[in-house]
Amino acid sequence: MSPHLLYIVWEPSKDLVSLGGFTIHWYGALWCVGLVAAYFVMLWLYRRQKMPDGTFEPLFYYCFIGILLGARLGHCLLYEPGYFLSHPVEMLLPIRETAEGWRCTGYAGLASHGGTLGLMIALWLYVRKTKVNLLRVLDNIAIATPIAACCIRLGNLMNSEIVGRYTGSDFGFVFAANGDVLPRYPAQLFEAVAYFAFFFVGLWLYRRHREKVGTGLFFGWCLTAIFTFRFVVEFIKEVQEPWEKGMVDTIGLNQGQLLSIPFIIIGIYCLLGGRLCKKWGEKN
């Protein structure tokens, strides 16, 4: 903490554990913590709802693979297509070609929009195999998802990435690891706190309206809340890629905001109980 109480000099180590050549990064650890937390929330929901035996364990594998592939491909193809289309191996494997040769770097780049889309595709495949109602699965996933999103944004904070703009005041975080000397908005922390709150709102809604599981209500709430907040908080973030500056100058929105709009629309549609929700849901 800086002696100047209005700002924090932020320069944590990116490594949680480093022994010899073995390193665990904060980002990867928090990503796993988020998935494990969501896993136990889903287990609790499945047990309370007396879901058929054998339907829970496959869900974790479908979700893990779908989120990881979707988030990774989303970052590579939506934010750095020029580089990764010419380095396709680096899209799927956690390695990077350097002047010294290939190095294991972990997945340095995961996009939440891609992860959400990958999750939806994975869940579609899951329900085809298990015959569990699609909207019941989506509603349960939506109750658990915000806690995982919170942990991922805390990982971004530990990496000093996805930073906010300069505050123009003494308030904020000085991301010294990035060479900053002036305070920025801790946008990652704002998102983490918001998603943590959304998680408990989702639990509260579930306790009061558990009969609505399978209607798309919780799925709609999750998409609308998370991506509306994401849309708004982007106004105080720095653009992630240089080419986005032209987009912001032209239309006033960045890539993350444009990608959030379809998810907000789908969320509102589900909250309002659209025709497809009635058709695909358990409550007709």
Side-chain angles (χ1 to χ4, degrees), residues 98-174:
T98 67
E100 293 77 30
W102 292 96
R103 293 185 56 198
C104 181
T105 58
Y107 288 115
L110 298 170
S112 58
H113 298 92
T116 302
L117 183 59
L119 174 62
M120 290 182 182
I121 294 172
L123 292 177
W124 176 73
L125 294 172
Y126 165 78
V127 299
R128 281 173 60 92
K129 179 178 177 61
T130 61
K131 308 304 180 184
V132 177
N133 179 263
L134 174 61
L135 285 184
R136 176 168 289 275
V137 177
L138 289 176
D139 276 344
N140 283 326
I141 286 285
I143 296 169
T145 290
I147 195 64
C150 168
C151 291
I152 290 170
R153 280 298 181 250
L154 290 176
N156 294 137
L157 180 65
M158 297 303 296
N159 271 358
S160 298
E161 60 190 5
I162 315 182
V163 299
R165 297 179 181 178
Y166 293 116
T167 64
S169 69
D170 291 330
F171 166 81
F173 276 42
V174 177

Side-chain angles (χ1 to χ4, degrees), residues 35 58-68 118-119 122-123 141:
L35 285 182
L59 178 66
F60 177 78
Y61 300 109
Y62 276 90
C63 290
F64 180 83
I65 295 171
I67 293 171
L68 183 59
L119 174 62
L123 292 177
I141 286 285

Side-chain angles (χ1 to χ4, degrees), residues 238-276:
E238 287 286 6
V239 295
Q240 294 189 48
E241 301 295 335
W243 58 265
E244 285 188 273
K245 293 180 180 179
M247 178 186 293
V248 174
D249 291 341
T250 303
I251 64 174
L253 302 175
N254 62 28
Q255 180 85 322
Q257 290 172 308
L258 288 180
L259 293 172
S260 294
I261 292 172
F263 292 106
I264 295 171
I265 293 172
I266 294 171
I268 293 174
Y269 178 86
C270 293
L271 274 176
L272 296 177
R275 182 178 299 177
L276 289 177

Side-chain angles (χ1 to χ4, degrees), residues 57 178 211:
E57 290 303 329
N178 299 342
E211 77 282 356

